[in-house]
Every structure is written in structure tokens, then in C-alpha cells.
Amino acid sequence: MAKTIRLVLQCSRQIQKKHGSHETNVRQNIQLKIGPMDLLIVRQRTWQYFLISGPALDEVCEAQELATAGEVILSAAAWEQCEQQSLRTRRCEGKRARKVTDMDWMPWSESQDVLRRLVQYPMEHRLEGEGAMRPPLMPHDPDAEEEIRKYIPEAALRKLDDRVPLDFFSELRPVTSLFVQLRLAAGSSKEDFCVILRNASRMMLEILRPHNGEINKVLLFDKGCTFLCVFGLTGEKLPYESVHALQCASQISYACPMMLREIQAVSVAVTSGTVFCGVLGHPLRHEYTVIGQKVNLAARMMVNYPGLVSCDAVTYAASRLPPHYFKKLEDKEMKGLEHPGTVYEYLGITKEDIFGMALTTERSEELPLLGREKEIDLFRSCLEAYKELGQRHILAFEGRLGSGRSHLLTELAHLGQEAGYRVVAMKLVEVNMRQSFSALRTLMARALGLHDCESSSARQSVLQEKLQGTIEESSYCHLNDIFLVEFPVSDKVRKMHETERKNELHATWTKVLEKVSISPSFLLGRRRTTTLPAAGSAPQQTTCFFQTIGGEFGIVVIGNAHFIDLASWSIMSPVLRNISLFMVISLAPGYARTENFRKAAADNTTPQKITYLRLAELKPSAVVQKVCKSLGVVSISRDLARFLIQRSSGNPYYCEELLRCLRSNDMLLFRTRRQGEKAEDNWESLIIEASSLPAPSSSSAGTDGRVCIIRPDVNLENTVLPATLKEVVLAQLDRTKPLKQMILKFAAVIGPVFTTQMLSHILPADVRHKMNCLLDMLVSDNILKWLKDTELPEDAQEGPAICPQAEHGMESPCLSRKAVQQQCSVLAFRVPLLREVAYELWPARQRGTLHRKCAAFLEQHAHKCQSCGQGDFVAFHRFAVTSTQDGGSCRSPAEQGDSCSWEALVLAGEQLKRNRIRDTEGMLAAESEQAAELPSKTDGKSSSACSCECEAIVESVLVPLARHYKAMGDTARAFYYLLECAAAYLHVSNIYMALMKLNEAEVLRNSVAERAKVIARFEEATFFSLKGEACWRMGRVKLAKKMIRKALSLLKRHFPRTIVGAFVKSQVEKLPCAAYVARRASSLPQEARRKRLARLLRQSCCLSLLEHLFSLEGTPSGPTFSRLAARMKANTDRAADSYWAADSRHRSA
């Protein structure tokens, strides 16, 4: 035993040394215990948990409280039986356990002897090569697999059944973790313990499964057990996930002590955040679990806040529940967590919810409703028809999450109030769907004015006053539990059976609802003189008659009507068929109530008229106006507008969350723009000038002239999505099967548009044969789309016919696409956010590997098109920087990839460019961007005359290459390709994009600590020369000269600043040196010769531009400097010709 303890302790120290520190900054605490253990198996028909218990496990739990990061703890029992002379330890204060500080290492031969004595199973089952101490499960009967599946979590089973490779099980996934601690009564036997665990597990699963939650771990300790439950694993993500978890936590906290009397206390903690979800452990003993800081936080909260349902600040915010659902708890120090944040107690349903759930009718002046003119006009026309004809009418608006349903209903309710109607407005949440009579109670409480009553006696008085003559006195007691009143229970009700009581309750509800609803005889009601006002005008006088709830209101507005509970709807539905009522509701897709309303609207035989309208996405111009209003500015930058339009897809909530994320992370800058103010002549002001949009007419009034731009050091492409949006989009992604998700994750690394050849290049070999069939399925699911050679309308671009195997969900190879794939092998994501969410699921190491594969594929095509010579956009760029840039990784033009790949990349690039331009259509930005992408007036080349494919290649090859290398952390290569991007955009006269890439390169350059070791001198010179050319194209002549002089200085070709210097320099340039240059060119090795040639060609470009700039200068010295630049350029060109000739002779030889 002593030798065994020493061996285990030695392994513990090795684990601590090798794996003690990780990216999460959470080190491992190792506690070493020995003692008897008990095996427990808790099982039901479809699930089983394998558990151990005993004194040694109890000591582990106790010792964990003593351990801090980087420590190994030895229990008292282990200390008594170990080789104490070989250990250096320190006693834990107040405990018998020992803390190991150092030890004498066991020789290799001795450790192997101990190991052989430990291994007692047959030799044929040992796995020496794998280093396994115990044999894996090796079933020999057909039923064993079914039994083993019961131990595997459902999320892992789905991936196994879909044949996802084990290497790609793991994800960085936002989930909600729920820790439950059950403290049992003292003296429970082992048999009782098993029964309690089984019953508790079954009860929890019954609560969790309707909410897509599952139990991941069961841990035992001396006085009870702990359950780790997880929401949002692969295939299980739901919208409102935090709400689901909090509801389950509340139900578990209430149900366990009620149903299981042996449980003395229940502590529940809920946290939300990104964690590692995947397989851990030995290759033959994987475990599917979740680990991360948020999981640790939940465990600490469970211990520090016993007997409560607690949650962290992220869960509190993500739930979007009213504040009265929570109570802030006092801050406590938690072991291993420096800043745990605010902790709340979840109170669940309170008295305020019975009479709350109001939808505000006050419009926000700061955030007016934009882009909903069609919906407002429909409301006006329907209300006018209701007023004139008295027809019962339901106006239903369907919109997905974040489409602005609540904002629209608030505006409509406000318009109804302005027209003189009393409006009863309420907004339901998902909790209401699981509470009987919740919607009906809320509606009637607000209609009867009970929400203003503070006591039960006041509510009783209101009910007696409003319902007098409607229901019998003996029936008032039916309202006690509903409205929290205390009417005495009548003898009639007391004698009723349960069924009779339910029927009587139903009848009472019906009478009350009919009382508070609009009467069919509304024409006999009192007279009002009002009508709906036009937008921005005062109410106009006219005549209308209506009978209301006591003659007081006429419009019912229900937000989130898809959350109406079944009990409420069973009463409301028949009443709505028999009364004249004008109701406005909002619905979300995917709910049974929504589908019922949609069918009723299409059915002309229904007694009530239902007008059903789906809310469309906001137009780009409305998105820009909304952002300007939110920020209080007259204009925003073009990049910010494009980012919000692309990512939000016209969804107002998405736009708000993205904007909130940018502001909270300090990514925005605000500048005051004054009329007639001259901009500073520097690079920063040039970028601001180029990226700013003209002010929309609707944003100009009432603002202080501020404009909003992106901070220069911020790259929006690398912006992490807000957790709220990630949850919504991930819920959509999880509707697809695991293998299709895996394909999407690989495609997401490539980009928003990708080729099938490149996707096949990075896919695992055992999945490639399924690629075509899986892509067909994703196209049919409207997640991807095939691109055609000609641009078609979005709705006209349908996917190809699905192969028979795809229709039946089979994974066999699909050949029906083969002919089409040769012509059109490019696909695109339909929803940009979905691609970003899929990309963020990758663990960092796997993500870097895939970026490297993508870069290797694209580098074959990183050159000009055939019509432009197939060289680098920066001449001889790849040969000039071999010290920092591996020139061997870039193939020469003759060795480039096949023509099919090139054509596909050209098609992908054209689509990317269309996306960039199309996203700003309809805005004032469209005109300014098109102007920025036209050639400048000083440029003699016309982009329309250039029919090359270079611009498509820069979009699909060079820009992605810079992104891939930045993601890999390779600054040198990323800078290299950013320069290539800028040169390519200048080559095709897209000045705006050239400026943006140069600005991105400057941010990257400034982030490098030791710049000279990372960025070559030639690249520095190229950077400034490209900036000079861009400044010239933008009309900044003075700034262009400054940049070109800096570039020439770095290229060791100084250009004088004074007339005297120009005279001296011109005399030097007249000296003959052609023979010397030719001899030197011939004597240099090829690599040095090509480096020199690249530098000469860059010098020639700079001098040519200087010659042109000085020729335009209207000063006496201008012609002098222009002639000097021309002479220097001529000498440089002759030298370049000599080096070119020498290189040609070398290649021919």
C-alpha cells in the first residue's frame, strides 16, 4: 500500500506540473485519498448513472475546501500508510490532512514493479500501448451496446448516431448550467440512499426534459448529492434558455422536499455563459461533459447560498424577466473566483405578476417606430371599419424574435388612445403559458382596474362593484385563488364535487369575460366624437358609438399572444366569436397558437374577421435611421452601417443588441462635424472623411452635428457576437442534425461564401464522400444557397433537386449534383449571423488548424488574373520578404491550382462584392460608396475598361488570407496580405476599400512590439508608398508627398526637400553607373537579385508618383523636383532592366 500511495502521489505531482495551468487560469487541485468505496448504480428504463460513495470520497469533498490552486492534499488515512520519509509535507491548519510540498521520486524500474502488481486483470485485456490501467468495456453480447448507451448523455448519443467523428465532438458553446444540491436526513442507509437518488433523478428529468435540459453529472458527498444539469447542449438549444432553466430550478426546489421527505434542504444555482462542451479523458475512456468558469461559479453559488435558487448577473439579464422576479443577494467571497459578480435570488411568480404584465402605451420620443408605415396604415383602416360597421375584428401581426412586435403594439396602442379609445394592453411571457388562467386573469385584472388595488379588501370591493348582477354571490369564492381575494366559501360550492366545481369555475370565468368585453349592442352605447389622428397631427372630430367594459374601453392589445395558456383560451375563444371586439395581437412563429390564428385568418367561414400580417425586415435606410436616432448623431460611418445591416438582417432587436455590444466595448468614436470646417491633413482625418456617410434627411434635424465612426483599432469582422443573439441563432442552428452542423462549422471557417473544392480540402477524409448530399440538405433547409453564374432574385435562387438519399435523411454519397457542381461549385450562407455563431463554436486549437488549411489552399491563387500577368499585386512581393515571409509557401504562377478552382473563386469573389454593395442599397450610402469605388479623376485608367478578374480574386482570396493569418496569430503573413489587398484594390481603382485595408494594416503594424523583427523593411516602405498613392487618389497631395518621401527613405533612395539638395542630387544622378549595375546584377545569387529587383520596382513606382505630383504643383520649385524625380526614375528603371535581364538569363540557363 505504501508503494502504491507513493506511485499515485508521483503521478499527481506530474499531472500538476504538466497540466496545472490553462487558458482559463484555473489550476488543478489534487486530493489523494484511500479507503473503502461503495458502488451505486441508479437506473431507469432509458438512463443509468454509475456512482461511488464511501469514507474516502467524503474525505475528498472535505479536503477540497482546504486545497488551493497548484496543491496536492494527502488525507490522514493515506498519510498513516505512506512512505513518510520520502515526502516533505505541511499539516493543514486544524486538520489531520497533509499538504505535500516535495517528494523523492521513485525510480522507473520500481514504479513499473508497483504498476505490474496493481494490474490484476487478464493479460489479453491489457492495453500497454495506450497506457491504460484498467481494461475498457469489451461487451460480447448483442444487448451490451444498448445497456452502455444508457450511460451516455443524449447530446453525445446524437452525434454518435449521426456518425460525427469523435475529434469534432467538442465545442465552445454558450449553455446554462444548473447545480442542484440535495441535503439528506442523517442516518439514511445505502438502500434508502439508492431509492432517494433514483426518485430524485426521475423527478428532475421529468422537470428538465420538456425544457431540453439533461443531467450531466451526479456527485455524492457525506450528507447528500449534487446534480449538474445543462441546458443548451448540441441539438437542445432553445430561445429564452435562461427562463427555462430558472423555471426548472424553481420547480426542483419546490418539488424535491415536497415529494421526498428524506430531503432536508435543496440549494440550486443557475449560471449562463460559454463553456467547453465535449469529450475529455483517455482516448479509450472519453467522458462527455462541460467545464468552464461558469460551471465553477454555479458550484460555488450553490454552496454559498444554501436553500435558495440563485443565479448570476448574466442569467438575470438574459432572462429579460421583470425585476420583481429577482432579489439581489449580498456579495460573498467564493473560492477560486476573484470577481463572481452580482448574484440574485430567483423568486419566481409573485403577486405583481397576477396584475402586472402591462404593455406600455407611451411611445418613446428618443426611439420612434421606423419602417412600419404599412402596419400603421392597416391598423387605421381596420379600426375605422370597426368603428363604422361594428364588425368584430382581430388584427394579428406575426414576427420572429426581435422583429419589433412590442414596439409596434406600443405605437398602435398609443394611436388608439389618441383617438379617444380606452386601451387595455398587456404583454405575456413564456411563464404564462404554463399557468392556468394566467392570460385571462391578467386581462380581466387590468380591465377591471385591479392592478391599482394594493390590498385584497380593495380588490374585493372592486369585484363586487363591477360584477354586481353578473355572477351569483355564492360564486364569488371561485375568484379567491385567481385574484388573491378572500370571499367566504359558500355552502353551495363546498358541497360540489371536483368536476362540478371546475364546470362552475369555467362558467364564472365566461360570465366575467362577457361582462368586461364589448357588447354586441355597441350601437346603443354612449357617443364619442373622435377619430384616429394622422401622423403628427391632433385628433380630428367625428362621431362613433361603442359600448365598452362599463362604457370605458374599446381596444384590447395582447403582446406575445402565442403564450396564452390553454385554460384561458378555452374560455376566450367561444366568447370572442359572439361579441364585437377589436383586438390587436402579436405572435411568434413556431407555436401552436400562431398556427391556429394563421389558419383562422385563411378561413373565410369564421365568424370573426382576422387580418393576419407578417412583419417584414426593416429596409437598410430604416436601419441607418434607427441607429442615428439611437446614437443621437446625424451620420454614421459606412463600415458601421454595413456591419449593422449585414448582421441584423433588418431585425430591430438584432440591430439594438449589436449596437449595445459595440458601445459597451468602447468600439465607437463620436466626432462633431461643423459646416465649412477644414479637415486636418493627416491619415486619421482622411479615414474619417472616406468612411463617413452623408446625413439622412430624417436625422439632420434636432441633432448637434455629431457623427459616429468605428475606432481605428477595431476590426468589426472580429467582433464577438452578443450572448443574447448567439443564443437565438444557435437555437436555429441546433434544429439541424449534428453532421450537417459539422459541415456548417467547417464552411464557417472559410467565410460567408465558399467553394466546394475548398470545403472538401479542409474536411476530414471520412466525411468528404458525404459532402454533396449534406450540402443539398442544407440548401433545402434554406441555410445555404447555391450561386449561379448570373445574379437572380433571392426568391428565385432555389436549390437543385435533392437526391433520393437526401430526402430520406440517408448519408450515402450523392451523385446527382456532379454535373452541376462542375459549373457552379460556390455556396453562400443565407444568414450571416448563423455563420458567425457556427464559427465561434470551434475550440481555439482546432480553429487554428483549419485556418492554416484554408490559407494553404488559397495561397495557390494569390496572384493577378491571367490578363494582368499573374504576378503579385506588389511587384516581386513574395521574393522581397523571404526573411519574414516564407516565400516557398506561395507557388509561382505556373504552379497555380487548377482552372476549375480559379473560376469558382472568381464567382465567389463577385458574390462577395455584390453583397458588400447590395447591403447599402436604398441608403444615401449607396451613391457615395459607388463614387468611392470609381476611379479618381486624376487616374487615367477606367475600371469599366478593365475586364480582368482581379477584384473578384482580392475579395475571395487575398482578403480571406489576411483574415486566416490574423486568426492564426501570424502577424507577418497577415501584414503581407493586407498590403496585397490594398495594392489590388488600387489596381482596380477601388479607393475606399484600399484605404480600409491600409488602415487595417496600420492597426496591425502598431500592435507589434518589436516591429523590425516581424515586418520587413521592404514591407514598411510598401506600406507608406501605398498610403501615398491612396492619398493622391483622394486629392490629398501634400499628405501623399509625405508618405512617398517616407517610403523612398525606407527604400534607401532619399529624395531631397530643398532646391539645393535637388541640384546636388541631380548631378549625382547624371553619373554613369549602368556597367557597374549590370555586373552587380549578374554576380548576385537569384534570391538577392530578386529582392533587389522588387526594391527597384517599388522605387520606380514612388518616383513616378512624385514626378506627377510635382508637375501639378504651381510653385517655382515644382518643375525642378518633377524633373529630378523623372531622372531618378529613369536611372532606377535602367537598373531594374539590368536585374530583370540577369534573372531571365539565370532562368533560361
Side-chain angles (χ1 to χ4, degrees):
M1 179 60 73
K3 295 289 185 182
T4 301
I5 295 175
R6 187 179 176 189
L7 176 62
V8 175
L9 193 58
Q10 183 169 307
C11 293
S12 301
R13 298 281 291 179
Q14 288 177 331
I15 293 172
Q16 192 64 261
K17 182 178 180 180
K18 186 175 181 180
H19 303 289
S21 181
H22 294 279
E23 296 177 0
T24 57
N25 297 321
V26 177
R27 302 191 70 188
Q28 301 200 12
N29 305 323
I30 300 178
Q31 299 87 34
L32 182 58
K33 308 295 173 189
I34 64 171
M37 292 286 191
D38 293 326
L39 169 66
L40 297 178
I41 297 180
V42 181
R43 70 180 69 191
Q44 286 289 325
R45 185 174 60 85
T46 58
W47 53 265
Q48 292 183 178
Y49 299 105
F50 176 89
L51 309 171
I52 57 173
S53 65
L57 182 64
D58 297 339
E59 290 185 10
V60 168
C61 297
E62 179 183 350
Q64 187 187 6
E65 299 301 321
L66 304 175
T68 57
E71 294 179 344
V72 178
I73 304 294
L74 199 63
S75 73
W79 171 249
E80 292 175 357
Q81 301 185 52
C82 71
E83 297 177 342
Q84 298 182 7
Q85 69 278 4
S86 63
L87 305 179
R88 264 75 69 190
T89 63
R90 186 173 67 251
R91 186 169 181 173
C92 298
E93 185 177 354
K95 302 290 181 179
R96 296 175 59 200
R98 312 286 296 193
K99 187 177 297 184
V100 179
T101 58
D102 198 4
M103 66 175 294
D104 297 331
W105 290 89
M106 184 182 297
W108 172 256
S109 58
E110 186 178 355
S111 66
Q112 292 302 302
D113 291 339
V114 175
L115 183 60
R116 277 191 292 271
R117 288 196 296 270
L118 284 175
V119 178
Q120 298 178 359
Y121 49 85
M123 182 65 69
E124 61 268 19
H125 293 320
R126 293 178 61 178
L127 302 170
E128 297 286 352
E130 300 294 340
M133 287 290 295
R134 295 177 288 112
L137 291 171
M138 301 179 69
H140 299 286
D141 60 282
D143 298 329
E145 181 180 353
E146 191 63 30
E147 285 299 312
I148 294 173
R149 288 175 62 91
K150 296 179 181 179
Y151 290 96
I152 303 175
E154 294 180 9
L157 281 177
R158 276 190 291 271
K159 292 191 174 186
L160 287 172
D161 293 341
D162 215 27
R163 301 187 182 279
V164 175
L166 197 61
D167 292 340
F168 302 103
F169 264 47
S170 303
E171 294 177 331
L172 292 178
R173 175 173 278 261
V175 302
T176 300
S177 306
L178 188 150
F179 261 101
V180 182
Q181 186 181 77
L182 305 181
R183 190 165 291 274
L184 306 181
S188 300
S189 64
K190 177 181 176 181
E191 291 74 16
D192 293 337
F193 200 42
C194 287
V195 173
I196 294 169
L197 279 177
R198 183 171 61 250
N199 293 337
S201 300
R202 183 180 65 252
M203 184 183 302
M204 288 186 191
L205 286 174
E206 290 174 354
I207 294 173
L208 294 170
R209 279 178 173 167
H211 301 269
N212 283 13
E214 66 176 67
I215 297 175
N216 184 261
K217 281 188 189 309
V218 184
L219 310 171
L220 302 183
F221 61 101
D222 57 340
K223 298 178 181 178
C225 61
T226 299
F227 294 82
L228 169 58
C229 312
V230 186
F231 297 80
L233 293 175
T234 302
E236 297 176 347
K237 199 74 174 178
L238 288 177
Y240 311 103
E241 182 178 89
S242 299
V243 177
H244 289 285
L246 290 171
Q247 289 179 24
C248 291
S250 181
Q251 293 179 46
I252 291 172
S253 177
Y254 174 79
C256 284
M258 291 290 293
M259 303 298 293
L260 304 172
R261 296 185 179 180
E262 299 86 351
I263 297 177
Q264 290 185 334
V266 180
S267 305
V268 189
V270 184
T271 58
S272 301
T274 300
V275 301
F276 174 87
C277 305
V279 290
L280 295 173
H282 191 276
L284 296 176
R285 304 186 183 283
H286 283 305
E287 176 190 18
Y288 187 87
T289 187
V290 294
I291 58 173
Q293 184 180 8
K294 285 295 182 179
V295 180
N296 298 340
L297 175 60
R300 299 302 181 193
M301 287 166 50
M302 175 191 67
V303 174
N304 284 273
Y305 299 96
L308 301 177
V309 177
S310 58
C311 71
D312 65 339
V314 177
T315 305
Y316 167 81
S319 69
R320 303 176 68 188
L321 291 172
H324 55 259
Y325 275 61
F326 302 89
K327 173 186 174 183
K328 185 177 179 181
L329 297 173
E330 63 175 330
D331 296 336
K332 293 184 178 181
E333 290 187 6
M334 300 186 193
K335 182 181 174 183
L337 300 170
E338 295 183 2
H339 305 289
T342 307
V343 180
Y344 298 87
E345 178 186 1
Y346 177 67
L347 303 175
I349 305 301
T350 63
K351 292 183 179 180
E352 294 183 47
D353 300 310
I354 297 178
F355 313 111
M357 312 311 295
L359 177 72
T360 179
T361 58
E362 298 296 327
R363 66 156 63 125
S364 172
E365 298 299 333
E366 297 180 357
L367 296 174
L369 184 66
L370 298 171
R372 297 301 182 198
E373 293 78 10
K374 176 182 176 181
E375 290 79 4
I376 293 176
D377 291 341
L378 178 62
F379 170 78
R380 287 198 178 99
S381 61
C382 292
L383 189 58
E384 188 70 21
Y386 169 72
K387 177 189 67 177
E388 296 294 339
L389 304 176
Q391 294 178 346
R392 41 185 173 266
H393 201 120
I394 298 178
L395 181 57
F397 296 101
E398 179 190 329
R400 56 195 176 99
L401 177 65
S403 58
R405 300 189 306 261
S406 298
H407 199 174
L408 174 61
L409 292 195
T410 297
E411 180 70 17
L412 300 183
H414 182 81
L415 292 175
Q417 281 186 336
E418 281 190 345
Y421 292 87
R422 184 192 170 198
V423 178
V424 172
M426 66 178 190
K427 180 182 178 181
L428 303 176
V429 295
E430 191 181 17
V431 178
N432 300 114
M433 192 165 58
R434 294 178 173 83
Q435 300 170 352
S436 296
F437 302 110
S438 174
L440 193 56
R441 175 179 56 199
T442 304
L443 173 63
M444 290 195 285
R446 301 200 65 79
L448 294 170
L450 298 180
H451 57 287
D452 295 326
C453 302
E454 297 184 359
S455 63
S456 61
S457 58
R459 289 192 291 273
Q460 285 183 204
S461 300
V462 172
L463 288 171
Q464 288 175 326
E465 177 187 352
K466 298 278 187 175
L467 302 179
Q468 185 176 7
T470 302
I471 61 176
E472 299 176 2
E473 289 290 333
S474 61
S475 299
Y476 276 106
C477 59
H478 287 301
L479 307 178
N480 286 348
D481 294 335
I482 306 300
F483 295 120
L484 299 181
V485 290
E486 299 176 355
F487 289 109
V489 180
S490 62
D491 294 336
K492 177 183 176 181
V493 174
R494 190 179 293 111
K495 295 177 182 180
M496 288 181 179
H497 296 295
E498 187 66 25
T499 304
E500 293 178 329
R501 189 173 297 180
K502 287 183 179 180
N503 293 336
E504 181 68 17
L505 176 62
H506 195 281
T508 301
W509 272 111
T510 303
K511 292 177 182 179
V512 175
L513 180 60
E514 289 176 346
K515 172 66 178 178
V516 301
S517 301
I518 299 177
S519 170
S521 57
F522 72 99
L523 290 174
L524 302 178
R526 58 181 180 170
R527 180 169 177 166
R528 294 274 179 95
T529 54
T530 182
T531 188
L532 282 174
S537 62
Q540 300 175 0
Q541 301 298 313
T542 184
T543 301
C544 70
F545 300 87
F546 51 89
Q547 181 77 20
T548 66
I549 304 175
E552 294 176 355
F553 78 91
I555 303 176
V556 175
V557 180
I558 303 178
N560 295 336
H562 50 280
F563 290 145
I564 297 177
D565 58 283
L566 290 174
S568 296
W569 188 247
S570 65
I571 296 175
M572 294 173 64
S573 181
V575 174
L576 291 177
R577 299 191 189 102
N578 300 318
I579 62 173
S580 257
L581 178 70
F582 188 73
M583 181 182 289
V584 184
I585 63 174
S586 68
L587 300 162
Y591 291 87
R593 187 82 58 235
T594 303
E595 188 63 27
N596 292 340
F597 271 104
R598 189 185 297 120
K599 291 179 179 178
D603 186 2
N604 296 326
T605 63
T606 54
Q608 71 265 46
K609 181 176 176 56
I610 300 178
T611 302
Y612 199 91
L613 182 67
R614 287 187 177 90
L615 296 181
E617 293 81 8
L618 293 180
K619 295 180 179 179
S621 56
V623 172
V624 174
Q625 292 177 28
K626 179 180 179 63
V627 174
C628 289
K629 288 286 186 181
S630 300
L631 297 176
V633 298
V634 297
S635 178
I636 60 176
S637 68
R638 186 180 294 115
D639 277 353
L640 177 58
R642 182 181 297 113
F643 172 79
L644 294 174
I645 292 169
Q646 282 183 343
R647 302 305 193 278
S648 69
S649 300
N651 187 300
Y653 173 67
Y654 290 6
C655 181
E656 292 168 5
E657 288 298 304
L658 290 166
L659 193 60
R660 185 180 296 111
C661 177
L662 295 177
R663 299 190 73 172
S664 62
N665 290 297
D666 196 26
M667 296 182 176
L668 303 180
L669 282 180
F670 296 89
R671 294 281 188 267
T672 301
R673 183 173 63 185
R674 297 181 177 87
Q675 293 292 335
E677 183 181 11
K678 187 176 180 180
E680 297 181 14
D681 195 18
N682 55 38
W683 179 255
E684 291 75 17
S685 65
L686 176 61
I687 294 297
I688 294 174
E689 175 190 338
S691 60
S692 297
L693 291 175
S697 57
S698 59
S699 303
S700 300
T703 56
D704 59 359
R706 293 198 310 164
V707 297
C708 178
I709 62 172
I710 302 297
R711 293 181 66 92
D713 57 342
V714 171
N715 185 359
L716 291 178
E717 297 299 325
N718 300 330
T719 303
V720 178
L721 287 178
T724 50
L725 294 192
K726 190 181 296 185
E727 177 180 288
V728 175
V729 180
L730 194 54
Q732 300 173 8
L733 181 62
D734 272 356
R735 295 171 191 166
T736 62
K737 289 187 176 182
L739 197 57
K740 291 194 285 185
Q741 281 192 40
M742 192 190 75
I743 293 292
L744 289 173
K745 287 164 59 179
F746 276 94
V749 177
I750 300 174
V753 179
F754 60 93
T755 69
T756 52
Q757 293 92 336
M758 189 169 179
L759 180 60
S760 177
H761 176 76
I762 66 174
L763 278 176
D766 53 349
V767 181
R768 287 173 189 162
H769 69 282
K770 307 174 186 178
M771 182 186 72
N772 291 340
C773 202
L774 291 169
L775 291 176
D776 278 340
M777 294 180 190
L778 291 168
V779 170
S780 66
D781 293 339
N782 285 323
I783 297 175
L784 300 176
K785 62 179 178 180
W786 291 93
L787 298 183
K788 310 298 181 183
D789 290 328
T790 56
E791 181 71 3
L792 298 176
E794 189 76 15
D795 55 353
Q797 283 195 9
E798 299 180 354
I802 307 300
C803 63
Q805 296 90 338
E807 292 179 354
H808 295 85
M810 297 175 63
E811 298 172 353
S812 56
C814 176
L815 302 178
S816 61
R817 170 69 58 185
K818 187 173 182 180
V820 179
Q821 188 179 359
Q822 293 177 352
Q823 300 175 1
C824 180
S825 54
V826 182
L827 295 99
F829 283 85
R830 289 188 178 272
V831 181
L833 282 182
L834 192 144
R835 184 199 74 83
E836 295 183 31
V837 167
Y839 173 79
E840 291 180 10
L841 292 175
W842 283 109
R845 183 177 298 179
Q846 289 181 323
R847 189 185 301 175
T849 301
L850 292 176
H851 279 297
R852 188 172 292 106
K853 288 184 177 181
C854 291
F857 180 89
L858 290 175
E859 280 187 326
Q860 304 174 52
H861 309 281
H863 56 86
K864 294 179 181 179
C865 65
Q866 186 173 3
S867 62
C868 294
Q870 293 188 318
D872 295 332
F873 288 95
V874 175
F876 275 70
H877 194 179
R878 73 187 69 183
F879 305 109
V881 290
T882 51
S883 59
T884 58
Q885 176 80 21
D886 183 11
S889 65
C890 294
R891 301 181 185 178
S892 63
E895 301 174 58
Q896 300 305 324
D898 60 274
S899 59
C900 182
S901 297
W902 177 269
E903 292 172 2
L905 288 170
V906 169
L907 177 60
E910 291 172 351
Q911 178 66 27
L912 287 167
K913 180 185 176 183
R914 281 194 294 266
N915 291 345
R916 180 164 48 81
I917 301 298
R918 186 177 54 198
D919 287 331
T920 53
E921 280 185 3
M923 301 188 309
L924 294 174
E927 184 177 344
S928 64
E929 176 162 352
Q930 290 169 4
E933 293 193 355
L934 289 174
S936 63
K937 294 180 180 179
T938 57
D939 186 16
K941 182 173 60 176
S942 171
S943 61
S944 61
C946 180
S947 60
C948 71
E949 299 169 333
C950 290
E951 187 163 11
I953 289 300
V954 68
E955 296 281 359
S956 62
V957 177
L958 298 181
V959 172
L961 273 171
R963 176 173 58 85
H964 290 310
Y965 278 119
K966 285 179 69 175
M968 292 161 53
D970 192 336
T971 304
R973 283 182 177 267
F975 191 79
Y976 174 95
Y977 282 111
L978 284 174
L979 295 182
E980 284 288 300
C981 289
Y985 279 123
L986 289 172
H987 174 72
V988 297
S989 299
N990 189 335
I991 315 305
Y992 169 73
M993 288 305 300
L995 285 170
M996 294 303 102
K997 291 305 169 184
L998 287 169
N999 188 60
E1000 191 176 338
E1002 180 159 23
V1003 173
L1004 184 64
R1005 173 177 172 269
N1006 294 337
S1007 67
V1008 178
E1010 298 181 3
R1011 192 178 302 165
K1013 294 182 179 180
V1014 178
I1015 300 175
R1017 187 183 182 93
F1018 174 82
E1019 298 225 288
E1020 284 271 295
T1022 303
F1023 173 63
F1024 283 103
S1025 70
L1026 293 175
K1027 288 175 73 172
E1029 185 176 352
C1031 291
W1032 163 61
R1033 300 279 190 96
M1034 291 294 293
R1036 298 289 189 93
V1037 175
K1038 183 177 179 182
L1039 188 59
K1041 292 178 182 177
K1042 178 181 177 181
M1043 297 295 177
I1044 295 299
R1045 288 178 186 273
K1046 176 69 173 176
L1048 286 172
S1049 177
L1050 289 168
L1051 292 169
K1052 299 181 180 180
R1053 194 85 160 104
H1054 298 279
F1055 194 85
R1057 297 180 179 274
T1058 63
I1059 291 292
V1060 175
F1063 173 77
V1064 174
K1065 186 67 174 177
S1066 63
Q1067 299 304 313
V1068 173
E1069 290 296 323
K1070 292 179 182 179
L1071 297 176
C1073 59
Y1076 167 76
V1077 170
R1079 287 194 303 271
R1080 179 172 174 77
S1082 301
S1083 62
L1084 289 176
Q1086 184 184 35
E1087 181 180 349
R1089 185 167 53 245
R1090 288 184 172 181
K1091 281 187 176 183
R1092 179 61 179 166
L1093 179 58
R1095 191 157 63 247
L1096 289 171
L1097 293 175
R1098 182 50 40 186
Q1099 291 176 5
S1100 178
C1101 290
C1102 294
L1103 292 169
S1104 176
L1105 184 55
L1106 274 184
E1107 177 190 2
H1108 180 72
L1109 292 176
F1110 280 113
S1111 67
L1112 299 175
E1113 189 175 293
T1115 61
S1117 60
T1120 302
F1121 285 114
S1122 179
R1123 287 192 296 270
L1124 174 61
R1127 184 180 296 276
M1128 293 174 66
K1129 179 182 181 303
N1131 290 338
T1132 302
D1133 290 343
R1134 281 192 291 270
D1137 291 341
S1138 299
Y1139 278 89
W1140 183 267
D1143 190 66
S1144 299
R1145 287 194 299 270
H1146 177 83
R1147 281 180 293 175
S1148 61

